[in-house]
Amino acid sequence: MWAASCLASCCAACACEACRTAVGSIGRRSARIAYCGLFTLSLFASWALREVAAPLLQSIPWINHFHKTPDREWFETDAVLRVSLGNFVFFAILAIIMAGIKDQKDPRDKIHHGGWMAKIFCWVVVVFLMFFVPNGIVSFYESISKFGSGLFLLVQVVLLLDFVHGWNENWVAKDEQFWYMALLVVSVVCYIATLSFSGLLFHWFTPSGHDCGLNLFFIVSTLILVFVFAIVALHPKINGSLLPASVIALYCTYLCYSGLSSEPRDYECNGLHNHSKAVSSGSLSLGLLTTILSVVYSAVRAGSSATVLSAPGSPRAGADKPLLPFSKADEEAEKKDVPRPVTYSYSFFHLIFSLASMYSAMLLTGWSTSVGESGKLVDVGWPSVWVRIATQWATAGLYIWSLVTPFLFPDREF
């Protein structure tokens, strides 16, 4: 027994030391990836508690203080919202602390890139404390999360527009026949994919024998937007390009598919899923993994982009740096203790993760209106449908506005 106790103590000490070393090795090169890992951990915690924490929450008097105990789904949603609230508070506090950082000599720069053991401990404490807050606060957070999720989706749209315009400008600036041909080929491929995808949408979501006027409206309006994009982009006074138009068209078609596939499984016009009544753990895992990848990528790209909100005095070129920027010149400057401007806004980076926390909570709870089978799925329900369609319309509006603004206001710089 004594030997076993010593062995267990040694193993625990080694494990703690290994964790401390691993966390301590996170520096300037990998801080953003570490924040991604922490955010991903919060999503898995939300998913796990949604599946197993309902009986525990039912036994907590300050949560279950109702005269009639709600159904299990209410407690599943409450667990997700409380973890999301903790995540939101944690990143919101960091966003406030990091406000106004101009260069890497600011003492707060070390907080952003270091102190990971303390930050992980604080994150755990904040999330744990959220299970002691009153239900009224959680309900209020649930309400504002719908608004925050909309802001997060809007940031996604702005990033996509910036990306496709930058992509087009980069290839056109090369001024070579090869790159012009590449622009044409990519554009044609995107349009072919868009039209083929649209055909599948008609097949999946407008089954014969059913009145699917709403789905038909969504698909036809998407095709109209696709043709409008091409017409506006090719107008001689607009000076547009087919590449951004084709990429935005494909993205809008994807949003239409994402919205239609989020329709309830028992909806007669959802021909893609209405025959799969059973919910497999594999499909749930795949849905959550897709959600994690999309949310984390958007949060990192938005938070690291100097085009959305640059840090004061930072160069715009910082937006083109990779996720782990650290050149030899940077290393030499760091050794010489030369103050260098930050390449992105730390405060905005954390703000994006706060909004992403709201968005992920809405996905995992079906925008807090899931009932029946939909409560066991990720991002299923009529609110999800309309959010996707509204995002598509916002994407179309912002893209057309980005094209016509220079034409309408030629004397202004944008």
Side-chain angles (χ1 to χ4, degrees), residues 41 104 120 127 146 154 166 181 198 222 255 269 295 370 386 394:
L41 178 62
Q104 296 176 6
I120 292 175
V127 172
K146 296 178 174 64
L154 184 61
M181 290 298 299
S198 299
T222 301
L255 287 176
C269 293
V295 171
S370 296
W386 286 105

Side-chain angles (χ1 to χ4, degrees), residues 228-251:
V228 169
F229 294 159
I231 293 172
V232 174
L234 294 177
H235 194 281
K237 294 184 178 180
I238 297 299
N239 193 26
S241 175
L242 272 181
L243 177 63
S246 63
V247 174
I248 296 299
L250 183 59
Y251 179 66

Side-chain angles (χ1 to χ4, degrees), residues 95-337:
I96 295 172
I97 293 175
M98 302 299 165
I101 296 181
K102 298 181 178 180
D103 59 66
Q104 296 176 6
K105 296 300 294 181
D106 192 305
R108 292 172 295 172
D109 181 83
K110 295 182 179 179
I111 299 177
H112 177 71
H113 292 101
W116 281 99
M117 286 295 292
K119 282 189 287 192
I120 292 175
F121 174 77
C122 290
W123 175 78
V124 172
V125 170
V126 170
V127 172
F128 177 75
L129 290 178
M130 293 305 106
F131 286 87
F132 293 89
V133 301
N135 290 338
I137 295 179
V138 179
S139 298
F140 175 73
Y141 174 73
E142 176 186 351
S143 300
I144 65 172
S145 289
K146 296 178 174 64
F147 177 73
S149 300
L151 289 180
F152 180 76
L153 290 173
L154 184 61
V155 170
Q156 283 186 312
V157 172
V158 173
L159 287 172
L160 177 64
L161 292 173
D162 179 74
F163 170 74
V164 296
H165 283 302
W167 180 9
N168 182 75
E169 291 173 2
N170 185 34
W171 282 13
V172 170
K174 297 180 184 296
D175 196 20
E176 297 179 4
Q177 187 68 26
F178 172 80
W179 294 107
Y180 288 125
M181 290 298 299
L183 284 172
L184 179 60
V185 170
V186 173
S187 301
V188 170
V189 169
C190 287
Y191 273 118
I192 292 175
T194 298
L195 295 177
S196 302
F197 203 5
S198 299
L200 291 176
L201 295 184
F202 279 109
H203 175 69
W204 287 334
F205 299 106
T206 59
S208 59
H210 299 288
D211 182 13
C212 301
L214 182 61
N215 288 1
L216 187 63
F217 167 74
F218 289 153
I219 300 171
V220 172
S221 62
T222 301
L223 287 174
I224 292 175
L225 289 175
V226 168
F227 287 108
V228 169
F229 294 159
I231 293 172
V232 174
L234 294 177
H235 194 281
K237 294 184 178 180
I238 297 299
N239 193 26
S241 175
L242 272 181
L243 177 63
S246 63
V247 174
I248 296 299
L250 183 59
Y251 179 66
C252 285
T253 306
Y254 164 75
L255 287 176
C256 182
Y257 160 76
S258 180
L260 295 176
S261 63
S262 295
E263 292 175 338
R265 294 299 187 257
D266 56 355
Y267 182 49
E268 60 184 8
C269 293
N270 188 348
L272 185 63
H273 294 298
N274 63 0
H275 297 299
S276 56
K277 299 300 182 182
V279 181
S280 66
S281 58
S283 62
L284 284 175
S285 301
L286 181 61
L288 183 62
L289 179 61
T290 304
T291 301
I292 290 173
L293 292 177
S294 62
V295 171
V296 168
Y297 173 78
S298 299
V300 172
R301 180 168 173 80
S304 304
S305 176
T307 60
V308 180
L309 182 63
S310 299
S314 65
R316 190 195 188 289
D320 298 328
K321 291 187 176 184
L323 186 61
L324 303 177
F326 212 75
S327 62
K328 292 183 178 180
D330 293 335
E331 291 178 351
E332 293 176 0
E334 189 171 85
K335 291 179 180 179
K336 295 178 181 179
D337 203 29

